[in-house]
């Protein structure tokens, strides 16, 4: 094998499926054990048996381990809501938008979600980052509704309702041991929200 | 006059009505002009023509100028919601809770609210602090509803709805030039929220 083929083979073998997940798991364990701020990237890669160079191929910094892929959420949600069936009402359109990625992001990851939440809640900069994400998501949902012809105030409140329902549902689902599916939690939360608003 | 009477007179004259407001106004102007992080307490007191010692009699640090008195909000809201007329439904009880201090906090302070918002939005640690405040307020509202016998899920969603309605209303009111009263903005926002949730 030529030198560059060997280099390629090494690179490919290091890029095995699951590398990202190994880094995320190692990071999450360390953040949970010793705190987010006290954990370094070299500690994460040592635990995952990978190099720091590999780490930085996947994540810009240790914080992004907890927010990987979430930068695309606002744009994805905005597009899905805009393209939702025309007959859907504002809150239905938002719920439809969340359907698209809720399963992909959360299904089978209850432990990850629960551990991640405890880590985020314990650190001011992470809480801010988490909140920022939801602010961007709410703004995206609001823009999408306005593009669907919903008036400004209704779009603003529908976006707030939709995000709040989603967050309460995820919280209930992640706090539950196993009986409640995320879809069920979402349906129940939305129904409770509609009931409260009717009274 | 004896020495201690002179000292007393000096202290009283320094504690003139409006000292807190002078410090707040000076701080707000500086934060808006040059940014929150670049403003120091001595700069604030120099502009207000007061001493730093006086500053620290009123505020623990420069950040607290923007959050003065707000530490008591959760407990105040919780008590007011708990003691609201028994016939009020969850969302009505929360709205009743906000009635108590909305006027006191906001009436005649549109410019302050608007400038303060721009300052908070521009700084990560302030955004986190602001969000933390609303999280504590939502938790207080939720606890109060549970104490009124509302079930857990309904209490959680009602608290989220109530806070969201309030925040959207304050945003609309503060963005408006003069025609919209805060009460009007709150009533319209709550009505829009109920309408969206009914669809």
């Amino acid at each position: 094998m030529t030198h560059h083929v060997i280099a390629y083979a090494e690179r490919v073998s290091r890029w095995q499926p699951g590398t990202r997940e190994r880094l995320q798991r190692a990071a999450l364990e360390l953040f949970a054990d010793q705190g987010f701020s006290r954990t370094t990237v070299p500690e994460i890669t040592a635990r995952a048996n990978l190099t720091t160079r590999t780490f930085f191929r996947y994540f810009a910094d240790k914080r992004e381990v907890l927010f990987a892929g979430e930068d695309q959420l606002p744009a994805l949600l905005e597009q899905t809501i805009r393209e939702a069936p025309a007959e859907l009402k504002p809150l239905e359109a938002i719920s439809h938008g969340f359907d698209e990625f809720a399963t992909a992001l959360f299904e089978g990851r209850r432990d990850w979600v629960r551990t991640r939440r405890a880590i985020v809640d314990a650190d001011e900069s992470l809480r801010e980052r988490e909140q920022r994400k939801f602010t961007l998501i709410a703004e995206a949902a609001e823009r999408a509704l306005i593009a669907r012809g919903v008036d400004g105030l209704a779009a603003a409140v529908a976006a707030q309702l939709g995000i709040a329902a989603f967050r309460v549902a995820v919280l209930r689902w992640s706090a539950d041991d196993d009986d409640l599916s995320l879809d069920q939690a979402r349906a129940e939360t939305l129904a409770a929200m509609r009931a409260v608003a009717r009274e």
Side-chain angles (χ1 to χ4, degrees), chain A:
Chain A
M1 282 194 289
T2 63
H3 176 75
H4 74 266
V5 170
I6 292 170
Y8 172 79
E10 280 177 349
R11 208 168 66 229
V12 168
S13 70
R14 274 211 309 277
W15 283 356
Q16 75 216 55
T19 300
R20 175 187 293 275
E21 289 69 25
R22 276 165 65 197
L23 289 165
Q24 287 187 308
R25 193 166 47 239
L28 207 72
E29 287 167 5
L30 288 165
F31 294 162
D33 284 355
Q34 61 190 37
F36 172 77
S37 65
R38 263 168 301 170
T39 299
T40 65
V41 169
E43 285 177 304
I44 295 167
T45 53
R47 177 175 287 225
N49 209 14
L50 292 162
T51 64
T52 56
R53 220 179 129 199
T54 301
F55 180 92
F56 290 113
R57 234 181 252 134
Y58 289 93
F59 305 106
D61 56 42
K62 64 176 181 169
R63 193 170 73 161
E64 289 315 302
V65 173
L66 298 167
F67 296 92
E70 298 193 352
D71 284 349
Q72 287 116 55
L73 285 189
L76 177 64
L77 186 71
E78 183 170 354
Q79 196 189 348
T80 316
I81 295 172
R82 283 180 76 128
E83 294 169 359
E87 68 273 18
L88 293 188
K89 300 295 184 186
L91 204 48
E92 294 169 336
I94 292 181
S95 187
H96 171 89
F98 279 125
D99 286 342
E100 294 291 305
F101 60 79
T103 308
L105 276 179
F106 294 109
E107 201 60 46
R109 302 182 78 201
R110 205 193 300 252
D111 286 344
W112 161 272
V113 171
R114 194 183 290 156
T115 307
R116 179 186 174 284
R117 168 171 299 273
I119 294 163
V120 169
D121 283 351
D123 184 274
E124 177 170 320
S125 81
L126 295 177
R127 287 199 303 268
E128 208 286 322
R129 176 75 173 74
E130 179 84 347
Q131 184 52 38
R132 185 88 197 127
K133 174 178 84 185
F134 282 106
T135 300
L136 293 174
I137 285 176
E139 287 169 1
E142 192 176 335
R143 278 196 305 276
L145 291 177
I146 287 169
R148 288 171 67 86
V150 177
D151 85 66
L153 179 55
V157 298
Q160 293 301 324
L161 291 194
I163 309 298
F166 188 75
R167 295 183 79 170
V168 170
V170 170
L171 192 61
R172 289 189 73 221
W173 166 77
S174 69
D176 190 84
D177 273 338
D178 47 37
D179 294 339
L180 189 70
S181 76
L182 180 56
D183 280 351
Q184 252 178 296
R186 289 182 57 211
E188 288 174 16
T189 306
L190 204 56
M193 193 170 268
R194 289 184 187 280
V196 159
R198 257 198 309 273
E199 289 179 332

